[in-house]
Amino acid sequence: MEQHSELRKNIGFSVATSIVIGTVIGSGIFMKPGIILSSAGNSKMAMLAWIIGGIITLASGLTISEISVKIPKTGGLYAYLETVYGKLWGFLCGWIQSLIYAPAVIGALGLYFGSIFADLFGIEQHNKIWIGIMVVLFLTILNLLGTKYGGFIQIGSTIGKMVPIFLIAIFGLWKGNGNILMQESGVAADHISMGAAVLATLWAYDGWINVGFMAGEMKNPSKTLPKAIISGILFVMFAYIAVNAALFHVLSGKQIVHLGANSASYASQILFGPVGSKLITIGILISIFGCLNGKLLTFPRIPYAMAESKLVPASRFISWVHPKSKTPVGATVLVVIISLILMLCWDPDRLSNIAIFSVFTFYGLAFFALFILRKRDPDNGRNLYKVPLYPVTPIIAILGVIYIVGSTLIDSPKDTILSIICTIIGLPVYKFMIKRNHTASLPVVSAIQEKTTEQ
């Protein structure tokens, strides 16, 4: 543990793109259509909400791509903020991601997997927590064996989750006879909110930024990362819009709202018979499994990057990289332990609400950082990736963040207060670590001065 060990650079374009797709497409594509339709009022506005959410996400991805090229470091968002705004903001971002965001997302996905798995095989629902814990531990062990194993799972599960998506999209558009853009939700006008519909799509699109956490392990991050982010987001947009169009072609708007999370399963049963429901359920499990693997593959790189800078307690353990597998063992163990505690204490929906607010404020700071980086370093003619339609693209991304944060403050004030409190707690921890690091460096400085004096 005392020997410094570098992470292995063995991630290429295919694995990086699969991480983007795998960490975005989880259960949202199957669970959200009914919620978005009921908020939008009709299928035309619901489809528009998915497109708007995709445009905001694409603008965010294009913006972060340029930042990732300028700052190709392991740690992603944490590394970006530390480089641009200083160690304090980088620490607070990494602190919240390590303490709340990452464990909450992993815990929620584990619990969702456990609940669906238990329902599929007729297992009593009180066992869903233990099923979720087992799948989290299983994927943790595989990822600790080496990034190539996690990468194989990511590519395989990404391909696997595409099967039910393509089946529903292709056969739904082929065999359905409904008017895609003329389906009414049946929801009263006073309950319709286009803002709420777009917000729901943005939650479904979240997760694409996680691939930036692994830039330091990519063979050529300046080329690989932008391509992976952009291609991954475009693929997800296409998948979301295609599946929703197919659902509107097969089911009525009122059916989709009434069925809610079961609408995709019901549409599959109509298209493929009784086996269809089982098929789509397995597809959802594969989707969540791959998404969870992507989180476990990427999230530990945040506390690892912080520990490398000695900004967290027990930095020696958290920054420990296995000498053979070259994986961040200490950071992974830390994130998983917190995740398991949250799984035992809270429900997945609550964890999801807390996670989304805790990180989006820092997203906004990262998007604004592009303006600062452009001013500091105009590239001087270097052939580097630049975000198209600057400054419109990063402005769209920033407006999207403002909307998400504002909506969450109004809809879930208790969860936002918890996130704010945890952020404030990070301030004394940061001051303590800076003071301890300064104190630890004094003997070294004194020894150097004494040696210089003797000479």
Side-chain angles (χ1 to χ4, degrees), residues 37-38 40-46 179-187 192 248 251-258:
L37 177 59
S38 63
N42 58 63
S43 59
K44 183 177 181 179
M45 297 306 292
N179 193 322
I180 295 174
L181 299 179
M182 297 296 291
Q183 301 285 0
E184 296 293 330
S185 67
V187 177
I192 294 175
F248 292 135
L251 303 174
S252 70
K254 293 181 180 179
Q255 282 181 305
I256 293 175
V257 172
H258 174 70

Side-chain angles (χ1 to χ4, degrees), residues 88-104:
L88 175 59
W89 283 104
F91 171 84
L92 290 177
C93 174
W95 171 263
I96 287 298
Q97 285 183 300
S98 301
L99 193 67
I100 297 180
Y101 178 66

Side-chain angles (χ1 to χ4, degrees), residues 362-384:
F362 297 103
Y363 277 7
L365 289 173
F367 300 148
F368 185 76
L370 180 58
F371 295 98
I372 299 174
L373 289 172
R374 283 281 187 108
K375 187 176 180 179
R376 289 182 185 174
D377 181 14
D379 291 336
N380 296 322
R382 285 176 289 164
N383 187 24
L384 296 176

